[in-house]
């Protein structure tokens, strides 16, 4: 049900091919190798919104990433479930870095075959991931075209002006089939990564009149409000080795001074000098004079300000042209996998539509999150802010959001209001077209589908989603009117706020587990859908309706799991009791 990506004008593509034939740059060697080259990945049409800008200059350097086939691609998923399913006798026995590496490493044959092929062409590769399942090869466009019988060209994303060098097809030697999963960036186009916290951003200029209410949420969502509605303790964490990493991107700098002033105002009980560390990847920067873009301030203020005294690391991934072509997600996960002691919790408030990357590429990233989970990391993603989403073009199909719908991460949807909270209309949610419903959620999903069948909303969703897919989000938390300090008060809406809120709760529970000498929660989902379910308050009204090409519809929050608010919103005290503390 992925909406077919449509070419803006088919003739553009045709003229591109004839203007820069494959063999032009090096006809001799190309014909020599094309005999045993087999097309590995190809696309017929450009993704929506892209147009051809012209041939790529032959000398332009490309950093191609080669994903080697893992000896046993299912092994990591099996290992993940063994340590994350509360009914397994290995529950909580997380794997070490070297144990995970052994599970995901490509075979020696694959490594040798690929290296020999590159050497024959005067090229060499550098490993990018700790297990060596990703290699990087630096070469120029003319060499890449020859090596891969490709046609690297410049493409422009019309809305943003972003330029990318891609090819619509590439080939590898027949003998390397079974050794190479994919080469990137080639046929998957970059999607503008969305930060999920700027929706409905407003700066509050006028002081808010005191509302007569005993609720701590009377003046918007603040740490005190969240502590009240989710029973989050103010007690400081004790374990310095229990860490929470927060993903940062693209100049969404978090400012020390704003955090300090935020804590003074909203956490007067805390030491306002409580700080965070910064890790820079891919040319990311920590410019404290950069303007506030809210996302970074939100993510830091609502982790430092909620996960009291848990060490917070802000992982800033830059946007150099050398970027991983996967919006920084690949480099970030490979960095965390390279750590001997990874943070126990990772919160990310960025994502992109699932359909924008191929399944092969998507799956490499999703299985890298499975590696983190097997090592005991709770990988938490904001669900997305697009409601049910629109597939684009003339389609009326919904559009699921990635990485939040990867089966090996925990997806956090959004709610609004209080007593009771209802679904926030922007909360992304629905069903993956790439992944079927994993067994941990199959009864939750079938329960929902049975209810949907009886409801009036069914008509508005009919034929617009893949009912066999992995349903997301898994749980939800408030997404409304978060008060963020950036020199003045901003009001931020979005699942960007929900993810750090839930991640802070997980980090605080992990601190208690560490104090009790127990393993961290790790990959949460098998536990959430079984033992942990009663630690959540079911959200039973609201919807994430969208209008796609004139057709309105979406999913509704109902009793039990639903693809808008998941299992509901967390209650710290109940969750703590459910982990046995
Ligand atoms: C591309 O790189 C190859 C070496 O891999 C070199 O021989 C060739 O001159 C380069 N071509 C251009 C146009 O820079
Ligand atoms: C809301 O703001 C008003 C005015 O600043 C203040 O008097 C009141 O105590 C605040 N209420 C809460 C719950 O923070
Ligand atoms: C607050 O934290 C800072 C930095 O860690 C420390 O130097 C200071 O002593 C602390 N203040 C109090 C009152 O604990
Ligand atoms: C937080 O850490 C940074 C970097 O070390 C430092 O410049 C800043 O002054 C610290 N903030 C506070 C409030 O101590
Ligand atoms: C959408 O439909 C219209 C009318 O059928 C057609 O002319 C147009 O090419 C379609 N657009 C896309 C992107 O497929
Ligand atoms: C629906 O999802 C399944 C996985 O659950 C997938 O195999 C299938 O291709 C999807 N169908 C469409 C039309 O995307
Ligand atoms: C969906 O929610 C919106 C906003 O909360 C509401 O106006 C609308 O009536 C709801 N739609 C349905 C079909 O319930």
């Amino acid at each position: 049900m992925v909406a077919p990506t449509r070419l803006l004008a088919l003739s553009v593509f045709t003229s591109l091919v004839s203007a820069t034939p494959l063999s032009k740059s090096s006809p001799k060697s190309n014909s020599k190798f094309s005999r045993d080259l087999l097309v590995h990945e190809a696309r017929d049409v450009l993704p929506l919104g892209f147009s051809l800008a012209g041939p790529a200059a032959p000398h332009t350097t490309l950093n191609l990433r080669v994903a080697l086939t893992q000896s046993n691609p299912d092994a990591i998923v099996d290992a993940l479930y063994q340590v994350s399913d509360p009914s397994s006798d290995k529950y909580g026995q997380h794997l070490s870095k070297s144990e995970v590496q052994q599970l995901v490493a490509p075979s020696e044959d694959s490594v040798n075959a690929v290296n020999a092929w590159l050497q024959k062409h005067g090229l060499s590769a550098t490993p990018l991931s700790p297990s060596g399942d990703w290699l990087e090869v630096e070469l120029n466009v003319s060499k890449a075209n020859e090596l891969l019988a490709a046609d690297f060209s410049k493409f422009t994303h019309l809305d943003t002006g972003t330029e990318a060098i891609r090819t619509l097809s590439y080939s590898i030697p027949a003998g390397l089939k079974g050794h190479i999963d994919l080469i990137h960036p080639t046929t998957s186009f970059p999607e503008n990564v969305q930060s999920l916290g700027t929706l409905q951003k407003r700066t509050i200029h006028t002081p808010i009149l005191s509302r007569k209410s005993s609720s701590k949420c009377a003046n918007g969502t603040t740490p005190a409000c969240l502590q009240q509605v989710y029973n989050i303790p103010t007690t400081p964490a004790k374990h310095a080795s229990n860490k929470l990493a927060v993903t940062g991107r693209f100049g969404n700098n978090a400012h020390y001074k704003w955090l300090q002033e935020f804590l003074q105002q909203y956490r007067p009980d805390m030491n306002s000098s409580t700080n965070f560390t910064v890790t820079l990847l891919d040319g990311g920067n920590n410019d404290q004079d950069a303007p506030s873009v809210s996302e970074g301030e939100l993510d830091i203020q609502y982790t430092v300000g909620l996960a009291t005294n848990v060490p917070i690391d802000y992982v800033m991934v830059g946007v150099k042209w050398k970027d991983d072509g996967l919006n920084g997600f690949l480099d970030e996960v490979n960095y965390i996998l390279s750590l001997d002691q990874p943070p126990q919790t990772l919160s990310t408030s960025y994502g992109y539509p699932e359909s924008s990357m191929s399944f092969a590429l998507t799956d490499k990233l999703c299985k890298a999150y499975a590696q983190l989970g097997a090592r005991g990391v709770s990988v938490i993603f904001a669900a997305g802010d697009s409601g049910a989403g629109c597939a684009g073009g003339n389609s009326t199909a919904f559009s699921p959001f990635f990485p939040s719908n990867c089966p090996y991460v925990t997806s956090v949807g959004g709610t609004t209001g209080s007593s009771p909270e209802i679904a926030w209309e922007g909360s992304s949610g629905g069903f993956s077209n790439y992944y079927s419903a994993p067994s941990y959620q199959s009864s939750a999903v079938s329960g929902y589908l049975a209810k949907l069948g009886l409801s009036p909303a069914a008509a508005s969703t009919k034929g617009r989603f893949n009912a066999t897919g992995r349903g997301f989000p898994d749980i939800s938390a408030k997404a409304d009117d978060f008060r963020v300090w950036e020199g003045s008060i901003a009001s931020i809406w979005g699942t960007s706020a929900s993810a750090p809120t839930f991640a802070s709760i997980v980090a605080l529970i992990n601190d208690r587990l560490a104090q009790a000498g127990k393993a961290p929660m790790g990959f949460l989902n098998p536990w959430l859908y079984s033992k942990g379910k009663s630690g959540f308050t079911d959200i039973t009204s609201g919807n994430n309706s969208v209008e796609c090409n004139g057709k309105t519809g979406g999913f509704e929050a109902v009793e039990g799991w639903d693809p808008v608010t998941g299992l509901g919103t967390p209650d710290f005290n109940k969750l703590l009791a459910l982990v046995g503390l």
Side-chain angles (χ1 to χ4, degrees):
M1 211 184 288
V2 178
T5 45
R6 289 176 178 79
L7 187 62
L8 299 173
L10 200 61
S11 56
V12 174
F13 174 32
T14 316
S15 64
L16 150 73
V17 172
S18 53
T20 51
L22 299 176
S23 53
K24 203 173 189 178
S25 51
S26 185
K28 215 171 162 193
S29 51
N30 205 50
S31 59
K32 180 175 153 207
F33 290 103
S34 58
R35 269 178 295 120
D36 74 329
L37 286 179
L38 294 178
V39 172
H40 196 62
E41 286 189 290
R43 62 185 313 145
D44 301 334
V45 293
L46 280 177
L48 218 62
F50 277 93
S51 82
L52 172 72
H59 65 267
T60 307
T61 306
L62 298 176
N63 285 81
L64 293 183
R65 284 139 188 264
V66 182
L68 302 191
T69 306
Q70 298 173 356
S71 323
N72 178 358
D74 292 331
I76 187 64
V77 174
D78 294 344
L80 173 71
Y81 285 128
Q82 274 176 19
V83 299
S84 317
D85 179 347
S87 67
S88 152
D89 52 11
K90 288 196 175 159
Y91 180 69
Q93 295 175 32
H94 301 125
L95 277 58
S96 68
K97 182 180 167 190
S98 66
E99 284 168 335
V100 164
Q101 274 172 221
Q102 276 164 33
L103 284 180
V104 302
S107 73
E108 218 171 293
D109 278 358
S110 297
V111 176
N112 292 341
V114 170
N115 281 330
W117 168 58
L118 293 172
Q119 253 162 40
K120 196 167 83 183
H121 291 269
L123 299 167
S124 64
T126 332
L128 280 182
S129 56
S131 67
D133 65 336
W134 279 99
L135 302 176
E136 185 173 59
V137 184
E138 190 180 301
L139 76 185
N140 61 33
V141 162
S142 84
K143 189 78 183 172
N145 282 341
E146 170 203 320
L147 183 74
L148 303 171
D151 186 11
F152 281 95
S153 306
K154 280 195 290 192
F155 296 91
T156 308
H157 187 246
L158 296 172
D159 285 349
T160 59
T162 310
E163 232 178 46
I165 296 181
R166 293 291 188 275
T167 177
L168 298 179
S169 152
Y170 70 92
S171 301
I172 60 171
L176 289 180
K177 290 270 172 186
H179 294 303
I180 290 179
D181 280 349
L182 61 94
I183 299 177
H184 178 74
T186 52
T187 55
S188 273
F189 281 59
E191 178 71 28
N192 264 354
V193 65
Q194 296 168 22
S195 75
L196 303 173
T198 46
L199 221 85
Q200 303 183 33
K201 177 184 166 178
R202 282 180 291 125
T203 303
I204 296 176
H205 296 292
T206 46
I208 295 177
L209 293 179
S210 173
R211 289 177 227 165
K212 278 219 161 67
S213 163
S214 59
S215 165
K216 294 239 167 79
C217 303
N219 292 339
T221 304
T222 60
C225 159
L226 294 165
Q227 284 161 346
Q228 183 182 54
V229 295
Y230 301 140
N231 286 322
I232 305 171
T234 56
T235 330
K238 292 192 176 141
H239 254 260
S241 61
N242 172 54
K243 298 198 173 103
L244 168 54
V246 177
T247 296
R249 285 284 192 287
F250 304 160
N252 287 291
N253 299 56
H255 293 79
Y256 299 123
K257 62 181 174 187
W258 300 149
L259 172 65
Q260 193 174 17
E261 292 177 20
F262 176 84
L263 294 175
Q264 279 162 2
Q265 191 171 344
Y266 291 108
R267 283 300 307 270
D269 59 317
M270 269 176 81
N271 182 338
S272 66
S273 296
T274 309
N275 219 337
F276 61 99
T277 56
V278 178
T279 295
L280 301 176
L281 301 177
D282 278 350
N285 73 54
N286 181 24
D287 180 1
Q288 291 293 312
D289 298 323
S292 283
V293 200
S294 297
E295 182 68 66
E297 323 291 1
L298 167 74
D299 298 346
I300 286 300
Q301 290 174 14
Y302 281 85
T303 44
V304 178
L306 278 178
T308 312
N309 279 22
V310 171
I312 311 288
D313 190 39
Y314 192 43
V315 183
M316 281 293 284
V317 189
V319 275
K320 288 204 306 207
W321 68 270
K322 262 180 132 178
D323 246 6
D324 65 2
L326 247 173
N327 298 327
F329 287 99
L330 180 62
D331 286 345
E332 183 183 12
V333 72
N334 278 334
Y335 159 73
I336 297 176
L337 283 168
S338 77
L339 301 173
D340 288 322
Q341 308 288 335
Q344 288 81 346
T345 313
L346 171 64
S347 178
T348 303
S349 294
Y350 300 83
Y352 51 88
E354 179 187 68
S355 59
S356 59
M357 304 273 176
S358 69
F359 171 74
L361 190 57
T362 297
D363 195 46
K364 292 299 287 188
L365 192 54
C366 187
K367 293 233 174 79
Y369 295 125
Q371 294 179 47
L372 279 184
R375 293 190 58 192
V377 182
S378 299
V379 182
I380 292 166
F381 274 90
D385 291 351
S386 337
C390 292
N394 286 344
S395 170
T396 57
F398 296 138
S399 172
F401 209 71
F402 186 82
S404 101
N405 68 358
C406 163
Y408 319 123
V409 310
T410 300
S411 170
V412 186
T415 63
T416 177
S418 47
S419 344
E421 289 165 57
I422 65 166
W424 174 55
E425 59 188 357
S427 183
S428 284
F431 298 86
S432 169
N433 291 311
Y434 283 171
Y435 291 97
S436 56
S439 64
Y440 62 73
Q441 69 164 193
S442 59
S443 80
V445 168
S446 56
Y448 170 77
L449 292 172
K451 279 179 205 134
L452 176 66
L454 303 171
S455 96
S460 83
T461 61
K462 198 169 186 315
R464 301 175 72 180
F465 71 98
N466 190 333
T468 64
R470 185 264 204 260
F472 77 106
D474 299 300
I475 60 105
S476 52
K478 277 170 82 64
D480 58 338
D481 197 10
F482 273 57
R483 299 305 162 95
V484 170
W485 184 253
E486 37 187 59
S488 57
I489 304 174
S491 161
I492 311 286
W493 295 61
T495 57
S496 250
S498 320
T501 298
F502 181 61
S504 294
I505 290 175
V506 173
L508 288 171
I509 292 173
N510 278 337
D511 177 72
R512 304 287 181 99
L513 287 167
Q515 288 181 42
K518 295 187 177 182
M521 298 191 79
F523 174 48
L524 297 161
N525 297 7
W527 184 84
L528 292 179
Y529 284 85
S530 57
K531 252 184 114 172
K533 197 161 51 178
S534 56
F536 291 83
T537 307
D538 196 3
I539 306 298
T540 56
S541 71
N543 66 77
N544 65 0
S545 194
V546 288
E547 192 203 306
C548 307
N549 290 310
K551 193 165 159 86
T552 303
F555 300 105
E556 285 185 76
V558 296
E559 227 168 83
W561 180 87
D562 56 70
V564 195
T565 63
L567 298 164
T569 57
D571 180 308
F572 182 89
N573 291 338
K574 289 182 183 165
L575 290 168
L576 201 60
L578 289 165
V579 299
L581 293 175

